Amino acid sequence: MSEIVSQTGEINPDDTIKILVASDIHLGYNEKDTIRGDDSFIAFEEVLQHAQENDVDAILLGGDLFHVANPSTNTLNRCFRLLRTYILGDKPIRLEFLSDQNENFLDALSRTVNYEDPNMNIAIPVFSIHGNHDDSGGAGSVSSMNLLSTNGYVNYFGKWTDLNKIEVRPILLRKGETKLALYGLSYMSDARLCRLLDDAKMYMEKPDEPGFFNVMVLHQNRAERGPKNYLPESSLPQFLDLIIWGHEHDCRIEPEENALKKFYVSQPGSTVATSLSEGEAKQKCCGLLSIHKGLFRMDPIPLKSVRPFVFESIDLATVQEELALDEGNAQQKVQDFATDRIEAMIVRAKAMLNGYQRQPKLPLIRLRLGLTEIEQQFNANRFGFRYHGRVANPQDMVHFQKKPKVKVKDELGNALDKAALQEAYRNQREQRAQRAEEIVDRYFREADEASKLEVLNPRSMTELCRRMVDYQDDDAAEKIIKFYEEQALTFLRSQDSTTEESICEALVGFHAADPDMHKKVLTMLDARSNVQDSVDPLKRFRDLDDDEASVADDGAVKQAGATAASKPARGGARGGARGGRGSRGGRGASKAAGTTSASATRGRSQASISNMFSQQSANNSSIASVATRTSSRKTATQKARQMDFDSDDE
């Protein structure tokens, strides 16, 4: 600690980068609801106010700033007004930009960071990736994030359009003796990202000089939600220090150490509840990230403008004897029980009012009841009529969940141990999969010999279903079948197969002759149809169900704590500390040709690039007639530390 503390025992604010971190703002969510329509805008304004009050150097957003990729004009107008109010001004920018801006901001009008644009007057620069809700798609691949970038309000980075490989180059910033490498990876489908990782086609470029603190912001599933439907933390490179994880809505902003890779993960969560799930009922926060050389700390900032939300889940089997549900009118008894619980939850919600002037007063209430018999269920919509004016969501306060009694035993009738129960649960979850591609994948994996494919690859059939369901890609079937037809004919000619018998025998080795056939199919589809992994704004988003609980990782957070870092003194008038463009520490600091190496607190190998993270014409209707049968880093590094600030608050 001695090397980062000044002679007075305080950390020099001129060497500390302060960033306001938030994610999943979802501007415009439920905007037509007369009660809840303003919630997302009120919460976002509070986030911007915290950025001003804490005199931060920048704001970092983890995706899903908007709820849809093409928001209404009302939502865009309100967003522009908020950004114009809080991020424009004469406050000096103390971040020196070191990397090639032409590579960092490919979609920007001037291809430069906005605070170096002579036409903009930025006081707080905003850096943001896009999420699955504000992903670019459609004609021109333009979304709301592109509009913000074009207008100069947001530095939009981390967008990737080459679906065959990913090369992530960091934004390099410096303030005093602290250097920051900021990596961004906007949303792409988890299945595609996992495929790129498996094929080692994702690269993250490390800075040429040592001493950078490495932060990555991304927007993917963190909790496992099916085969290759999430991004494992362990697949990310070890040289990272901190990961800001967007997309997950439950707040876990206190940094959690990954036991394998030794980096930390901070999950800010959403600022507004977009589903009535248990994870959404947790305290909403943004965070103040302070970085000093190789150390950091994350200070959670609870949001006071969030609508009170009380969630409760009760399995009626636990109160069956108490309520005597086996006799009399079980439905009425359950309804009376729900009434008592709702009243108690409303009382709890009132206790969550904090006196903040703009905090919405009507609470969100969700009571989830696990049924053992269908006769216990009552009409939830009719039940909610009596709560109009008392809660914000009277129509869906009560949710029923049918919970059949399942006894998991082995062949001998003995109860299974914990590991066996978990395996049984995974099998049941896979059997309940409702996604079309998962059903197709399971069908071909479990198909008998007579039903297996001979020419087509089952994985290609799975990809075909995914494209037709998710992207309405009606041409995918014709392209896939035509591709396999051409490949099969080429293969048969090489085998000199002319008779029907010899053709059948030769086709047995068709896939074995080229194990990379499926990867070639994916490359062909991406090259010809230019189908991007984006979410169609006109179709229903595939998010968590209203009542799907968030998956929490175990493990304590080893975080050094003390008082917050001293606020850096505000700079002089515009043109003073901000200085002429190109001066060190000034507004227009350009990429330095050579920099003084700050003393690094973490020794790391400096590999330049770290590898991280494949007969007849057919048409759409010919899939079913296809013949059957088929055959189908790094150097160990030191552990990340969190900053222990010993300075006094101003």
Side-chain angles (χ1 to χ4, degrees), residues 120-131:
M120 298 298 298
N121 192 28
I122 301 296
I124 306 177
V126 179
F127 296 88
S128 180
I129 62 173
H130 73 246

Side-chain angles (χ1 to χ4, degrees), residues 58-345:
I59 297 173
L60 179 61
L61 302 179
D64 281 356
L65 174 59
F66 294 93
H67 188 62
V68 294
N70 298 309
S72 68
T73 52
N74 173 62
T75 295
L76 284 174
N77 179 59
R78 297 184 69 172
C79 176
F80 290 156
R81 292 172 69 93
L82 286 172
L83 291 174
R84 185 179 180 87
T85 300
Y86 290 97
I87 71 168
L88 299 185
D90 293 329
K91 185 175 79 73
I93 303 295
R94 294 163 292 185
L95 292 177
E96 182 182 359
F97 209 97
L98 303 178
S99 54
D100 187 348
Q101 301 181 31
N102 287 320
E103 293 182 353
N104 296 141
F105 307 114
L106 295 175
D107 283 347
L109 181 62
S110 59
R111 292 206 171 186
T112 182
V113 67
N114 62 355
Y115 62 81
E116 291 189 3
D117 186 338
N119 298 313
M120 298 298 298
N121 192 28
I122 301 296
I124 306 177
V126 179
F127 296 88
S128 180
I129 62 173
H130 73 246
N132 58 312
H133 282 255
D134 46 24
D135 192 359
S136 56
S141 298
V142 175
S143 74
S144 50
M145 295 303 299
N146 295 98
L147 298 181
L148 291 178
S149 175
T150 301
N151 282 276
Y153 291 127
V154 170
N155 297 295
Y156 176 27
F157 72 112
K159 181 180 177 181
W160 199 254
T161 55
D162 186 346
L163 303 181
N164 296 312
K165 62 179 180 179
I166 299 177
E167 297 178 359
V168 184
R169 294 182 174 87
I171 291 174
L172 302 181
L173 302 169
R174 179 174 61 192
K175 181 182 176 184
E177 296 186 7
T178 297
K179 296 183 293 185
L180 171 65
L182 179 60
Y183 297 84
L185 182 62
S186 291
Y187 169 81
M188 67 172 60
S189 80
D190 294 289
R192 177 176 299 281
L193 182 55
C194 288
R195 176 165 61 83
L196 292 172
L197 292 172
D198 291 342
D199 296 342
K201 291 185 177 180
M202 180 171 177
Y203 310 93
M204 294 185 65
E205 184 179 280
K206 296 175 65 177
D208 293 333
E209 60 182 88
F212 279 88
F213 187 85
N214 301 294
V215 176
M216 183 176 190
V217 56
L218 51 81
H219 192 99
Q220 304 292 150
N221 281 335
R222 185 182 181 189
E224 183 178 357
R225 297 189 178 94
K228 291 192 175 181
N229 201 19
Y230 77 110
L231 176 63
E233 290 181 10
S234 58
S235 64
L236 297 173
Q238 190 166 4
F239 73 83
L240 293 173
D241 298 301
L242 176 66
I243 297 170
I244 305 299
W245 203 297
H247 185 61
E248 302 286 1
H249 280 208
D250 53 319
C251 181
R252 294 163 56 185
I253 200 167
E254 292 283 356
E256 302 169 5
E257 184 184 16
N258 181 279
L260 179 63
K261 294 298 184 71
K262 303 303 180 183
F263 51 59
Y264 285 85
V265 180
S266 176
Q267 181 177 303
S270 65
T271 59
V272 63
T274 61
S275 65
L276 300 176
S277 62
E278 186 173 7
E280 294 274 25
K282 296 180 180 179
Q283 172 70 60
K284 301 293 187 183
C285 294
C286 57
L288 179 60
L289 172 63
S290 301
I291 303 171
H292 185 94
K293 299 182 181 178
L295 303 179
F296 81 99
R297 67 177 289 156
M298 178 74 79
D299 293 305
I301 303 177
L303 298 178
K304 299 179 180 180
S305 60
V306 176
R307 185 180 298 275
F309 179 18
V310 178
F311 178 94
E312 193 170 300
S313 180
I314 300 175
D315 189 347
L316 291 178
T318 61
V319 294
Q320 187 159 349
E321 293 184 5
E322 178 185 345
L323 300 179
L325 297 181
D326 293 333
E327 55 188 51
N329 189 339
Q331 183 183 95
Q332 186 60 47
K333 292 179 179 179
V334 172
Q335 184 169 329
D336 294 340
F337 174 76
T339 300
D340 294 338
R341 297 311 310 161
I342 293 291
E343 293 294 338
M345 294 168 73

Side-chain angles (χ1 to χ4, degrees), residues 281 308-314 337-352 363-369 383 387 390-391 393 397-398:
F309 179 18
V310 178
F311 178 94
E312 193 170 300
S313 180
I314 300 175
F337 174 76
T339 300
D340 294 338
R341 297 311 310 161
I342 293 291
E343 293 294 338
M345 294 168 73
I346 292 177
V347 173
R348 288 167 54 193
K350 289 181 179 178
M352 298 171 67
L364 292 170
I365 301 293
R366 170 49 68 92
L367 175 63
R368 184 171 63 189
L369 296 176
F383 176 81
Y387 291 96
R390 298 186 62 195
V391 301
N393 61 318
M397 288 189 307
V398 181

